[in-house]
Amino acid sequence: MFNRTQLLQYYETMHTIREFELEAIRLRESEEILGTLHTYIGEEVIATAACACLKKTDYIESTHRGHGHTIAKGADVKRMMAELFGKVTGSCKGKGGSMHIADFSVGMLGANGIVGGGYGLAVGAALASRFKGRDAVSVVFFGDGASNRGTFHEAANMAAAWKLPVIFVCENNGWACGTSHACGGQQAVQDIAKRAVGYDMESFIVNGNDFFAVYEAMRHLVDRARNGVGNRCGFLECKTFRIMGHTIGDSQQYRDAAVAKKRLEADDCIVNFEKRCIAEGWLEASDFSPVKGTVLEKIREAKKYAIESPYPDSSELYTDIYDA
């Protein structure tokens, strides 16, 4: 299914996400960057596998936890780091920051601070693609908590009724802020993908810590969305686990943080990828170290670039503002 070059590229992508997030945490704790920060640690293979099935001309909509999606879609890490620093060289000219990061040049339409705010944008992008005669697929990432918003049902109904090429990817990491998905009080169903039945969508439930399971299901849904007939919408639920708190500074009084860390040690999605590649004979254990070195250098260069970049000029204060 995969050649050596592809596997190492996927590994580099997921490892870049991990190291970018770890560096972002260090920078926030040292107050070199400011503002809230939601990390994607432990979920790297979902974005990597999903975006590996897409073209540059396809669209994705993210969540408030959007660094991983942005990197996986091919955004420049230097510009991303500069964005966290609020610098003019950032992907949003320093005006979006972590929670509103975007890069239209690679089809990343933006992270969103509004829970469930990306559904309509993804459906709108798919509709625009149809009007323009393009074959672009739209993908919207969201969490288990966001699946309870009315915006999901509105967007899913519209996408299905109009037979738009939209794929809904639920990253079910077990926590909606401080509310456990397992508690049963948040929603009536434990398998969120069951909701796809009401919109006549093909759906899959996969292990979100297994790159190959996510990739296989996503590849099928993307092919159907791009080339199928009838209702081309799809729904993919990836079962995973949120390792960190909801945001930096979260005291996590609602759970034992040590248990979450042990979960990462026992079921690290990146380590799972390494083990599978070695077990199948696709890669050697020695193949991974050079990639790790390359990634660390990439992150160091990104930080240096961000620090040395200038802040936006005061003349930029009122530009890029939507005025109806």
Side-chain angles (χ1 to χ4, degrees), residues 186-253:
Q186 183 185 162
Q187 54 213 18
V189 294
Q190 285 297 301
D191 293 330
I192 297 171
K194 288 181 179 179
R195 291 175 168 170
V197 175
Y199 302 103
D200 193 30
M201 293 183 194
E202 185 172 15
S203 65
F204 294 93
I205 300 173
V206 299
N207 177 0
N209 287 359
D210 182 344
F211 171 92
F212 301 97
V214 177
Y215 181 90
E216 182 178 357
M218 188 67 177
R219 184 181 62 171
H220 173 82
L221 291 175
V222 169
D223 182 65
R224 186 170 182 270
R226 199 185 311 280
N227 305 309
V229 295
N231 184 3
R232 296 190 287 164
C233 298
F235 194 108
L236 177 60
E237 180 179 359
C238 302
K239 304 273 192 179
T240 182
F241 192 80
R242 197 187 76 208
I243 301 301
M244 309 294 290
H246 173 64
T247 185
I248 296 299
D250 181 355
S251 62
Q252 301 189 66
Q253 295 182 20

Side-chain angles (χ1 to χ4, degrees), residues 40-227:
Y40 199 63
I41 293 173
E43 302 175 41
E44 294 89 349
V45 303
I46 300 175
T48 302
C51 291
C53 300
L54 302 176
K55 298 178 181 178
K56 185 177 181 179
T57 50
D58 291 328
Y59 299 112
I60 67 168
E61 254 299 323
S62 183
T63 67
H64 51 275
R65 202 176 305 281
H67 301 164
H69 307 132
T70 311
I71 292 172
K73 194 59 171 70
D76 183 86
V77 177
K78 287 184 177 179
R79 295 182 64 220
M80 285 184 62
M81 189 67 78
E83 187 61 34
L84 266 59
F85 274 81
K87 298 300 185 70
V88 72
T89 55
S91 54
C92 301
K93 299 196 292 187
K95 299 179 179 182
S98 169
M99 202 159 55
H100 300 281
I101 198 164
D103 191 337
F104 290 2
S105 70
V106 296
M108 200 301 197
L109 301 182
N112 206 310
I114 299 173
V115 176
Y119 301 123
L121 298 174
V123 172
L127 182 60
S129 294
R130 170 174 291 177
F131 281 134
K132 292 180 178 180
R134 300 174 63 247
D135 70 346
V137 172
S138 285
V139 176
V140 55
F141 294 93
F142 58 99
D144 45 300
S147 71
N148 298 321
R149 296 297 304 271
T151 48
F152 163 73
H153 298 281
E154 292 172 1
N157 183 66
M158 182 176 291
W162 291 353
K163 298 178 173 54
L164 299 174
V166 183
I167 301 173
F168 296 80
V169 179
C170 178
E171 298 176 311
N172 187 349
N173 64 23
W175 293 93
C177 292
T179 303
S180 170
H181 176 72
C183 73
Q186 183 185 162
Q187 54 213 18
V189 294
Q190 285 297 301
D191 293 330
I192 297 171
K194 288 181 179 179
R195 291 175 168 170
V197 175
Y199 302 103
D200 193 30
M201 293 183 194
E202 185 172 15
S203 65
F204 294 93
I205 300 173
V206 299
N207 177 0
N209 287 359
D210 182 344
F211 171 92
F212 301 97
V214 177
Y215 181 90
E216 182 178 357
M218 188 67 177
R219 184 181 62 171
H220 173 82
L221 291 175
V222 169
D223 182 65
R224 186 170 182 270
R226 199 185 311 280
N227 305 309

